[in-house]
C-alpha cells in the first residue's frame, strides 16, 4: 500500500484529505507540527507528498527544493496561491504537479494515481546502485563496492548508510535514524543504533574510508566526503 503524506496547516482540509485517501486505498499520514518539517518528511518516507506552500516556519516551495536535492519523492503542490509565477517556481523546484485550491478532490486523486502509476512503471528501470563517489552502494544486494573490494551489510547497516548517503554532508540525528528504521519495520533502540553505527564505521574503514562516517556529539551523524 502506497504511503501518502499530507503537509498542510489547514487542520480541516488535511483531515478530510486523510480520510478520503485512506478510503481510496492509500496509507495517508499528516503532519500537524511544522518545527522540523523536512526531517519529519524524511522520517516518514512517503511514496508521495501533498505539500502546501503557505506553511509555518518554512515555505513549501523551499521544502520542495531541498527535498529534490536528496530524493525522487513524488511531490504535488496544493495551494491557494494560483499565480503562474508560483506554478513556475514550484515546477522548477521539482514539483510534479501544481494544484490550486479549491480543487476537485476526485481530480486530485486522479493525479495521485497517475503519478504513482508512472513511478511504478519506471521502477523496473531504476538503478540498482547509488554512486556515492568514494564507493558504490549496491541497493539490490546490500553491498558496499569500492574498486575490487566488496563489503556485505546487514539490513540495518544498509538502511542507515542509504539514509546518510541520500543526505550527504547533512547531520542526521539519532532519533531521526531510529524513527526511519522503525518506519521501515526494523525495531532498533539507542544502544542497537550505536552498535550498528560502529560496525558500519569499521566496514568503511576496511576499504580505506575511515573518517567518512563522523559522529557529531549531541547532534547525530554525518557522511562526509573524502578530502
Amino acid at each position: 500500500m502506497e504511503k501518502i503524506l499530507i503537509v498542510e496547516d489547514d487542520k480541516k482540509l488535511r483531515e478530510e484529505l486523510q480520510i478520503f485517501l485512506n478510503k481510496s486505498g492509500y496509507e495517508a499520514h499528516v503532519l500537524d507540527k511544522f518545527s522540523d518539517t523536512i526531517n519529519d518528511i524524511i522520517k516518514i518516507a512517503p511514496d508521495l507528498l501533498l505539500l502546501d506552500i503557505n506553511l509555518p516556519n518554512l515555505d513549501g516551495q523551499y521544502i520542495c527544493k531541498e527535498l529534490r536535492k536528496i530524493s525522487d519523492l513524488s511531490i504535488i503542490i496544493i495551494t491557494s496561491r494560483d499565480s503562474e509565477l508560483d506554478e513556475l517556481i514550484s515546477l522548477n523546484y521539482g514539483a510534479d504537479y501544481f494544484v490550486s485550491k479549491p480543487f476537485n478532490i476526485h481530480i486530485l486523486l486522479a493525479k495521485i494515481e497517475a503519478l504513482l502509476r508512472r513511478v511504478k512503471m519506471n521502477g523496473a528501470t531504476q538503478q540498482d546502485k547509488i554512486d556515492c563517489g568514494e564507493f558504490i552502494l549496491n541497493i539490490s544486494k546490500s553491498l558496499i563496492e569500492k574498486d575490487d573490494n566488496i563489503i556485505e551489510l546487514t539490513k540495518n547497516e544498509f538502511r542507515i548508510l542509504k539514509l546518510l548517503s541520500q543526505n550527504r554532508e547533512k547531520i542526521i540525528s539519532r532519533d531521526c535514524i531510529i524513527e526511519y528504521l522503525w518506519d521501515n519495520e526494523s525495531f532498533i533502540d539507542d544502544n542497537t543504533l550505536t552498535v550498528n553505527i560502529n560496525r558500519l564505521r569499521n566496514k568503511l574503514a576496511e576499504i580505506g574510508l575511515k573518517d567518512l562516517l563522523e559522529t557529531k556529539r549531541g547532534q547525530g551523524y554525518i557522511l562526509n566526503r573524502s578530502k
Side-chain angles (χ1 to χ4, degrees):
M1 183 183 296
E2 289 101 337
K3 187 189 299 185
I4 298 176
L5 176 61
I6 303 158
V7 181
E8 162 66 61
D9 64 344
D10 184 323
K11 183 174 185 290
K12 181 181 179 182
L13 177 58
R14 70 172 178 252
E15 289 179 349
E16 288 175 352
L17 282 171
Q18 184 178 30
I19 292 169
F20 176 75
L21 291 171
N22 282 333
K23 287 182 178 180
S24 299
Y26 295 102
E27 179 186 339
H29 298 251
V30 299
L31 283 189
D32 54 12
K33 296 179 181 177
F34 305 95
S35 58
D36 196 14
T37 307
I38 293 176
N39 278 329
D40 287 339
I41 293 169
I42 292 170
K43 291 175 191 176
I44 294 170
D47 298 294
L48 184 143
L49 177 65
L50 294 178
L51 178 63
D52 189 15
I53 290 181
N54 296 318
L55 295 170
N57 299 318
L58 287 181
D59 181 275
Q61 288 173 332
Y62 173 80
I63 292 171
C64 178
K65 182 180 179 181
E66 291 303 298
L67 286 172
R68 192 52 78 221
K69 293 177 182 178
I70 59 173
S71 172
D72 292 327
L73 166 68
S74 299
I75 301 174
I76 297 179
I77 296 290
I78 50 172
T79 180
S80 57
R81 286 158 58 172
D82 59 356
S83 72
E84 290 184 353
L85 179 59
D86 280 313
E87 182 173 4
L88 180 62
I89 290 172
S90 297
L91 295 176
N92 282 338
Y93 281 177
D96 296 282
Y97 288 123
F98 182 93
V99 178
S100 297
K101 302 174 188 175
F103 49 78
N104 183 308
I105 198 166
H106 295 285
I107 293 177
L108 176 64
L109 178 62
K111 290 181 181 293
I112 290 170
E113 291 173 343
L115 188 50
L116 290 174
R117 186 166 57 247
R118 188 174 75 200
V119 170
K120 277 186 178 179
M121 290 175 64
N122 291 337
T125 61
Q126 288 180 353
Q127 62 180 5
D128 290 330
K129 298 181 180 183
I130 299 176
D131 186 349
C132 300
E134 301 84 353
F135 64 93
I136 300 293
L137 185 59
N138 189 315
I139 297 172
S140 59
K141 296 182 179 179
S142 294
L143 301 173
I144 300 173
E145 301 175 1
K146 183 178 184 292
D147 302 325
D148 295 327
N149 298 301
I150 295 177
I151 302 290
E152 188 173 340
L153 300 173
T154 66
K155 179 173 66 175
N156 283 336
E157 289 167 357
F158 168 76
R159 287 175 173 167
I160 292 168
L161 186 56
K162 184 180 178 184
L163 177 63
L164 293 172
S165 297
Q166 290 173 331
N167 296 275
R168 198 68 184 267
E169 297 184 294
K170 292 185 178 181
I171 298 172
I172 305 298
S173 70
R174 292 177 65 88
D175 287 343
C176 178
I177 296 173
I178 289 172
E179 289 185 35
Y180 172 77
L181 293 173
W182 178 263
D183 285 340
N184 281 277
E185 301 177 350
S186 295
F187 175 74
I188 185 167
D189 59 19
D190 198 66
N191 290 331
T192 307
L193 176 59
T194 300
V195 171
N196 276 270
I197 288 289
N198 288 337
R199 287 177 178 169
L200 184 54
R201 183 179 283 117
N202 290 336
K203 289 181 178 181
L204 289 168
E206 286 180 36
I207 53 175
L209 301 174
K210 180 180 178 181
D211 299 321
L212 213 62
L213 177 51
E214 181 183 354
T215 300
K216 292 290 187 180
R217 189 175 297 278
Q219 299 178 72
Y221 303 99
I222 184 170
L223 194 67
N224 294 311
R225 296 191 184 275
S226 294
K227 297 179 181 178

